[in-house]
């Protein structure tokens, strides 16, 4: 066992300096992700008892993200990518402060907090995505995302349970509000540590300065359709577990415990899939995640009780990492191909990709809100996830077409490596 662990540590050490720093930065920042994803939604639920406000908050976040992606392209002309990346992480704490300072959770306040969190996510993900594509290649991307997902899943065991216990240990609304303030302060400290780690990397800004284009290769439009289906679930899936557990299981303590069920098993599975799978295995991984997600969502709709929620969360803990583990390498592979065919910088496609995600997020959140206001809250919570999960199964067929077309038109590996060398040389000269 020790020998195997040493082997895995040595494999990590064999990666480039920037690879290791990026993973470590994201590992530290991952400590605040469950707080942002789960307990902010729980805070809104506790203080308003209105699931529509949670979805509106999520929509505000997803509106801020693409706008910030666009702004980030402009800022990269003047600021080092490390500064923008760090600012994105620290803004998440600012957003939480805004939320906690609201005396009443009206739509205006929720929207401002959501837009600020969208700015945070936009700066974080725009720069993280570019760094991921610039420091990895198609051969080690399964390992990169498998390792990151393994770390996130392990953290998802301890953080939700610990925070849930901490909040539950307080009695009375005022004490619980104080607990949220303490958590917000801890988030600030963690984002500062993540920023310090980030500055140890030797990250370079994109060479190309023009990022906005309106015509793309047909392969890119296929990826945008895949992004739309991915965004469909993101529209409210981030906060759906919190809404379901708060409504059915009742408290943050139960929420934290439920989020930890099966997480150790999921983490181990994802790590080894990422470590040893090949690029040719991505369709199998993607399909398994989508099918598990659809199964959990449908069972939740059929049962709609404590058992249904726990089964859904258990399957989601495995399904979501599997989908991400396959999706991101597919996305970056397509960017590799089309950027070299069209001779454009990678950030062009990272920026444009967000438009596909945003459209899907609007449709996903819109589906929930329509069912909420036209039928009922329970109906929306019960069936919206299932509807979206079944629609997402279309992604299996789209991804197959993307990979097949990509393999048929991909530049030779030697050409890609030569181009990367030229780009790195240009970046060093700049």
């Amino acid at each position: 066992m020790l020998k195997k662990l040493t082997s895995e540590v040595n494999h990590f050490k064999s990666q480039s300096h920037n690879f290791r720093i990026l993973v470590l930065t994201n590992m530290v920042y991952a400590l605040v992700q469950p707080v942002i994803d789960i307990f902010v939604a729980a805070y809104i639920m506790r203080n308003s008892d209105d699931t529509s406000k949670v979805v509106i908050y999520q929509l505000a976040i997803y509106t801020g993200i693409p706008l910030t992606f666009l702004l980030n392209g402009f800022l990269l002309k003047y600021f080092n990518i490390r500064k923008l990346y760090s600012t994105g992480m620290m803004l998440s704490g600012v957003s939480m402060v805004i939320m906690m300072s609201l005396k009443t959770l009206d739509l205006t306040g929720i929207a401002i907090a959501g837009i600020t969190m969208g700015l945070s996510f936009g700066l974080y993900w725009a720069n993280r995505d570019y760094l991921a594509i610039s420091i990895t290649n198609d051969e080690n991307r399964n390992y990169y995302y498998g390792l990151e997902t393994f770390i996130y899943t392990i953290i998802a065991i301890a953080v939700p349970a610990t925070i849930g216990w901490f909040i539950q240990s307080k009695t009375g609304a005022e004490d619980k509000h104080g607990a949220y303030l303490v958590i917000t302060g801890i988030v600030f400290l963690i984002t500062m540590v993540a920023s310090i780690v980030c500055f140890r990397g030797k990250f370079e800004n994109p060479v190309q300065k023009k990022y906005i284009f309106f015509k793309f290769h047909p392969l890119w439009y296929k990826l945008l359709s895949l992004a739309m289906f991915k965004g469909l679930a993101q529209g409210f899936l981030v906060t759906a577990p919190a809404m379901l557990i708060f409504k059915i299981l009742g408290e943050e303590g139960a929420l934290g415990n439920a989020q930890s069920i099966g997480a150790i098993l999921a983490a181990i599975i994802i790590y080894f899939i990422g470590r040893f799978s090949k690029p040719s295995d991505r369709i199998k991984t993607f399909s398994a995640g989508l099918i598990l997600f659809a199964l959990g969502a449908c069972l939740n709709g059929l049962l709609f009780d404590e058992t249904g929620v726990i089964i859904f969360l258990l399957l989601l803990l495995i399904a979501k990492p599997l989908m991400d583990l396959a999706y991101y390498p597919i996305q970056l592979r397509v960017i590799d191909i089309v950027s070299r065919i069209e001779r454009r910088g990678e950030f062009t496609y990272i920026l444009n990709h967000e438009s596909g995600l945003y459209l899907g997020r609007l449709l996903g959140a819109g589906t929930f809100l329509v069912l909420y206001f036209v039928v009922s809250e329970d109906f929306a919570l019960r069936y919206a996830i299932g509807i979206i999960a079944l629609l997402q199964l279309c992604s299996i067929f789209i991804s197959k077409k993307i990979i097949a077309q990509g393999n048929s038109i991909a530049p030779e590996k030697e050409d890609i490596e030569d181009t990367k060398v030229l780009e790195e040389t240009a970046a060093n000269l700049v």
Side-chain angles (χ1 to χ4, degrees):
M1 184 67 179
L2 182 60
K3 185 177 179 181
K4 180 64 178 174
L5 182 60
T6 302
S7 173
E8 295 305 312
V9 171
N10 289 335
H11 184 73
F12 175 71
K13 288 181 177 179
S14 70
Q15 306 300 315
S16 69
H17 173 76
N18 282 343
F19 184 106
R20 300 194 305 271
I21 291 298
L22 186 60
V23 170
L24 292 173
T25 300
N26 295 336
M27 179 183 72
V28 176
Y29 186 67
L31 292 168
V32 307
Q33 287 288 97
V35 183
I36 296 168
D37 291 345
I38 300 170
F39 290 96
V40 173
Y43 179 81
I44 297 173
M45 287 290 294
R46 169 172 289 282
N47 289 277
S48 70
D49 195 31
D50 187 346
T51 53
S52 68
K53 288 186 176 180
V54 179
V55 179
I56 290 168
Y57 171 72
Q58 205 65 38
L59 270 177
I61 290 176
Y62 287 139
T63 299
I65 291 175
L67 295 175
T68 313
F69 265 66
L70 189 62
L71 175 64
N72 187 75
F74 172 78
L75 294 175
L76 280 170
K77 298 178 183 179
Y78 304 100
F79 299 96
N80 185 272
I81 193 169
R82 293 178 301 181
K83 293 180 180 178
L84 298 176
Y85 194 28
S86 301
T87 301
M89 289 186 284
M90 298 191 70
L91 273 175
S92 58
V94 175
S95 174
M96 289 188 65
V97 169
I98 293 173
M99 179 68 75
M100 302 306 158
S101 65
L102 295 175
K103 294 182 179 180
T104 58
L105 291 180
D106 56 24
L107 293 181
T108 301
I110 289 173
I112 292 172
I115 290 289
T116 307
M117 191 64 80
L119 292 174
S120 166
F121 285 172
L123 287 173
Y124 174 73
W125 282 105
N127 296 298
R128 171 180 162 162
D129 285 351
Y130 174 75
L131 292 175
I133 195 172
S134 65
I135 68 170
T136 63
N137 55 58
D138 199 50
E139 299 301 317
N140 67 1
R141 280 173 187 155
N142 282 19
Y143 172 62
Y144 171 80
Y145 284 108
L147 178 60
E148 279 205 339
T149 306
F150 169 76
I151 292 168
Y152 288 165
T153 312
I154 289 294
I155 288 172
I157 300 169
V159 173
T162 302
I163 294 177
W165 169 82
F166 178 65
I167 294 172
Q168 281 301 103
S169 68
K170 307 300 179 182
T171 57
E174 189 172 331
D175 286 344
K176 288 185 184 292
H177 181 74
Y180 276 105
L181 293 178
V182 171
I183 292 167
T184 301
I186 293 172
V187 166
F188 254 120
L189 291 175
I190 293 173
T191 56
M192 290 176 65
V193 173
S195 298
I196 292 169
V197 175
C198 174
F199 270 84
R200 294 181 60 193
K202 300 174 182 177
F203 302 135
E204 299 290 344
N205 286 32
V207 176
Q208 186 173 342
K209 304 303 181 185
K210 182 181 179 181
Y211 306 121
I212 300 176
F213 296 88
F214 298 98
K215 292 185 68 176
F216 293 91
H217 190 279
L219 178 61
W220 183 248
Y221 290 118
K222 287 187 175 66
L223 186 75
L224 285 182
S225 67
L226 190 65
M228 186 195 71
F229 278 103
K230 179 178 177 62
L232 198 64
Q234 285 185 343
F236 69 97
L237 188 56
V238 170
T239 49
M243 293 188 291
L244 282 169
I245 296 172
F246 205 94
K247 279 291 182 182
I248 296 176
L249 300 184
E251 292 288 349
E252 289 95 332
L255 181 144
N257 292 332
Q259 282 292 301
S260 300
I261 295 174
I264 294 176
L265 176 62
I268 294 171
I269 291 171
I270 298 305
Y271 177 79
F272 282 104
I273 290 175
R275 175 73 168 85
F276 297 107
S277 64
K278 301 176 182 178
S280 57
D281 297 323
R282 287 168 186 162
I283 290 294
K284 298 174 187 175
T285 305
F286 200 33
S287 301
L290 289 165
I291 291 169
L292 286 174
F293 173 43
L295 179 61
C298 290
L299 286 174
N300 175 69
L302 288 172
L303 299 174
F304 201 59
D305 57 12
E306 293 184 8
T307 302
V309 171
I310 291 174
I311 291 174
F312 170 64
L313 291 173
L314 177 61
L315 293 178
L316 185 63
L317 275 172
I318 302 173
K320 188 177 183 300
L322 284 174
M323 290 187 286
D324 289 346
L325 180 60
Y327 180 87
Y328 289 120
I330 291 172
Q331 174 198 348
L332 299 192
R333 171 65 170 160
V334 172
I335 293 176
D336 278 341
I337 295 169
V338 295
S339 65
R340 283 159 181 81
I341 291 174
E342 299 182 324
R343 299 186 180 281
R344 297 171 182 170
E346 290 99 335
F347 192 79
T348 295
Y349 302 94
I350 292 172
L351 174 61
N352 191 259
H353 177 260
E354 198 61 27
S355 64
L357 288 176
Y358 184 58
L359 177 59
R361 289 163 180 162
L362 285 179
L363 292 173
T367 299
F368 178 87
L369 290 174
V370 167
L371 294 176
Y372 178 94
F373 288 111
V374 174
V375 186
S376 70
E377 179 184 49
D378 284 350
F379 188 89
L381 283 172
R382 184 168 190 171
Y383 295 113
I385 298 173
I387 292 169
I388 286 170
L390 292 174
L391 285 173
Q392 268 207 308
L393 292 176
C394 297
S395 299
I396 297 173
F397 306 102
I398 298 172
S399 60
K400 284 182 178 180
K401 290 183 178 180
I402 288 172
I403 290 177
Q405 184 177 350
N407 289 337
S408 69
I409 65 173
E412 293 296 326
K413 184 177 180 181
E414 290 78 8
D415 294 339
I416 291 176
E417 294 302 321
D418 289 345
T419 305
K420 280 193 172 183
V421 170
L422 290 173
E423 289 175 348
E424 289 170 1
T425 303
N428 291 331
L429 290 174
V430 172

